[in-house]
């Protein structure tokens, strides 16, 4: 297995959490191999295997055998199930001062590595920054999908650098995200509250949790319009049942994420009540606006499920302290 020989910190670690990614990783590796303008960049690729049951390990070993030594391709395993734990493992193992998280179904543009390093250097007070995420669909998306595509981490915030609003829970997804290792180590607790999607547990928000802590630590969260990936969307993720479950799962994380914003523990009961009241109001207004259409049209049904999940989210609080 290839490992870096230089003990000094690298410019960036590209961290790829994966679960049963054997079929997806080869295309991702091809995009890593064609990264441009990296001659003066010291970087590595770190695959974090989150208990894959397929031949993910064999695929990685096959690529490692012929991988160029200038860009190490490393493999580690995280046995705690959940994307949040895989990201924590990546931060612990990463040798880069920046860590670029890319999901195994997101294909980076040819300048992804170079742009991530350049942007991180231009904005040293950015603890994290997200990218533009376009989509490639296996089948045409259903009618009205444009309104709810953000649930699938498809994001385009325009052509200018912007600052996200963590207080409004407007943050970039971890599907294509760069964090400054120093910011994570200094600000993010080692124990995650939200673990990510698990069998029978579809509560989202695990990618927002560390960003809220980084923001509380005084770092900026930015959007880099020149950092781009393409999210590969298989047909099963465009099915109605999946999208409604996903939307509700995003809503179920609302209260827990709001609690993370609290400056003092005595603020938390009030935040719970405000979350419940605000969600009840938004759900009621949604029903009044769309009436019967609220459960029939896909986009409005997904929005309904999100508001319903937000209303129920106080009952899914996992930890108060």
């Amino acid at each position: 297995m290839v490992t870096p020989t230089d003990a000094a910190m690298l410019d960036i670690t590209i961290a790829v959490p994966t679960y049963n990614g054997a079929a997806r990783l080869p295309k991702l590796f091809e995009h890593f191999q064609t990264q441009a303008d990296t001659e003066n960049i010291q970087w590595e690729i770190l695959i974090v295997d989150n208990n894959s049951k397929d031949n993910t390990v064999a695929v990685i070993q096959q690529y490692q055998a012929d991988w160029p030594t200038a860009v190490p391709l490393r493999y580690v395993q995280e046995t705690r199930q959940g994307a949040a734990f895989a990201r924590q493992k990546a931060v612990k193992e990463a040798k880069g001062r920046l860590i670029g998280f890319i999901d195994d179904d997101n294909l980076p543009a040819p300048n992804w590595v170079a742009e991530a390093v350049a942007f991180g250097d231009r904005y040293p007070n950015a603890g994290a920054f997200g990218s533009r995420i376009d989509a490639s669909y296996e089948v045409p998306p259903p009618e009205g999908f444009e309104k709810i595509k953000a649930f699938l981490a498809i994001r385009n915030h325009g052509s200018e650098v912007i600052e996200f609003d963590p207080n409004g829970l407007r943050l970039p997804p971890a599907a294509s995200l760069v964090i400054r290792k120093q910011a994570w180590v200094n600000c993010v607790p080692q124990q995650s509250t939200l673990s990510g999607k698990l069998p029978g547990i579809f509560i989202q928000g695990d990618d927002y949790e560390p960003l809220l802590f980084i923001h509380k630590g005084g770092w900026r969260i930015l959007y880099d319009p020149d950092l781009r990936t393409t999210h590969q969307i298989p047909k099963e993720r465009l099915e109605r049942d999946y999208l409604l479950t996903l939307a509700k799962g995003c809503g179920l994380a609302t209260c827990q994420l709001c609690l993370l914003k609290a400056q003092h523990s005595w603020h938390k009961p009030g935040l719970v009540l405000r979350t419940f009241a605000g969600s009840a109001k938004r759900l009621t207004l949604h029903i009044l606006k769309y009436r019967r259409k609220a459960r029939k049209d896909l986009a409005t049904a997904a929005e309904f499920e999100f508001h319903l999940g937000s209303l129920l989210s106080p009952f899914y609080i996992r930890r108060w302290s």
Side-chain angles (χ1 to χ4, degrees), residues 130-178:
S131 79
R132 173 173 172 172
I133 305 177
D134 298 312
S136 175
Y137 303 104
E138 183 181 6
V139 297
E143 184 178 355
F145 177 75
E146 189 71 16
K147 291 176 59 179
I148 59 172
K149 65 181 183 180
F151 290 133
L152 284 176
I154 303 168
R155 307 291 174 88
N156 181 354
H157 299 290
S159 59
E160 302 294 330
V161 175
I162 65 169
E163 184 162 2
F164 286 100
D165 176 22
N167 291 325
L169 295 183
R170 286 182 283 276
L171 291 164
S176 178
L177 175 74
V178 182

Side-chain angles (χ1 to χ4, degrees), residues 44-64:
E44 65 172 353
I45 300 164
L46 178 66
I47 309 298
V48 184
D49 183 0
N50 200 198
N51 296 320
S52 296
K53 302 297 188 291
D54 62 359
N55 63 330
T56 290
V57 176
V59 169
I60 295 169
Q61 290 174 339
Q62 179 182 357
Y63 276 88
Q64 281 180 321

Side-chain angles (χ1 to χ4, degrees), residues 50-256:
N50 200 198
N51 296 320
S52 296
K53 302 297 188 291
D54 62 359
N55 63 330
T56 290
V57 176
V59 169
I60 295 169
Q61 290 174 339
Q62 179 182 357
Y63 276 88
Q64 281 180 321
D66 299 316
W67 201 262
T69 57
V71 183
L73 173 60
R74 297 199 290 133
Y75 169 90
V76 296
Q77 186 179 45
E78 174 52 64
T79 57
R80 296 174 298 172
Q81 197 69 49
F85 300 124
R87 294 186 200 105
Q88 286 181 329
K89 182 74 168 185
V91 172
K92 181 179 179 180
E93 296 286 339
K95 300 180 184 296
R97 56 185 176 87
L98 297 174
I99 303 174
F101 288 109
I102 297 182
D103 283 359
D104 62 12
D105 56 2
N106 272 254
L107 304 180
N111 71 333
W112 203 96
V113 171
E115 174 60 26
V117 174
F119 190 89
D121 290 342
R122 288 200 305 272
Y123 295 91
N125 58 356
F129 50 95
S131 79
R132 173 173 172 172
I133 305 177
D134 298 312
S136 175
Y137 303 104
E138 183 181 6
V139 297
E143 184 178 355
F145 177 75
E146 189 71 16
K147 291 176 59 179
I148 59 172
K149 65 181 183 180
F151 290 133
L152 284 176
I154 303 168
R155 307 291 174 88
N156 181 354
H157 299 290
S159 59
E160 302 294 330
V161 175
I162 65 169
E163 184 162 2
F164 286 100
D165 176 22
N167 291 325
L169 295 183
R170 286 182 283 276
L171 291 164
S176 178
L177 175 74
V178 182
I179 64 101
R180 201 172 298 275
K181 183 171 182 176
Q182 176 190 352
W184 184 298
V185 171
N186 290 349
C187 303
V188 181
Q190 295 185 10
Q191 180 60 44
S192 298
T193 303
L194 296 165
S195 60
K197 298 188 292 289
L198 297 172
I201 305 175
F202 216 81
I203 302 176
Q204 304 286 88
D206 53 286
D207 47 356
Y208 283 10
E209 181 176 352
L211 294 179
L212 289 172
F213 282 112
I214 289 172
H215 171 67
K216 286 176 71 172
W219 296 88
R220 301 173 72 193
I221 313 295
L222 301 179
Y223 164 72
D224 178 3
D226 296 322
L227 192 66
R228 299 178 65 168
T229 65
T230 301
H231 190 182
Q232 308 299 291
I233 309 293
K235 60 182 179 180
E236 56 267 21
R237 292 198 178 183
L238 296 173
E239 294 175 354
R240 182 183 178 89
D241 287 348
Y242 179 86
L243 289 171
L244 296 186
T245 301
L246 179 65
K248 187 174 182 179
C250 291
L252 289 174
T254 302
C255 193
Q256 189 73 64

Side-chain angles (χ1 to χ4, degrees), residues 24-42:
R24 298 183 295 274
L25 286 171
K27 185 175 286 188
L28 181 60
F29 288 151
E30 291 173 9
H31 280 70
F32 287 148
Q33 290 172 329
T34 58
Q35 289 295 300
D37 302 321
T38 60
E39 296 81 5
N40 298 318
I41 295 175
Q42 292 182 306

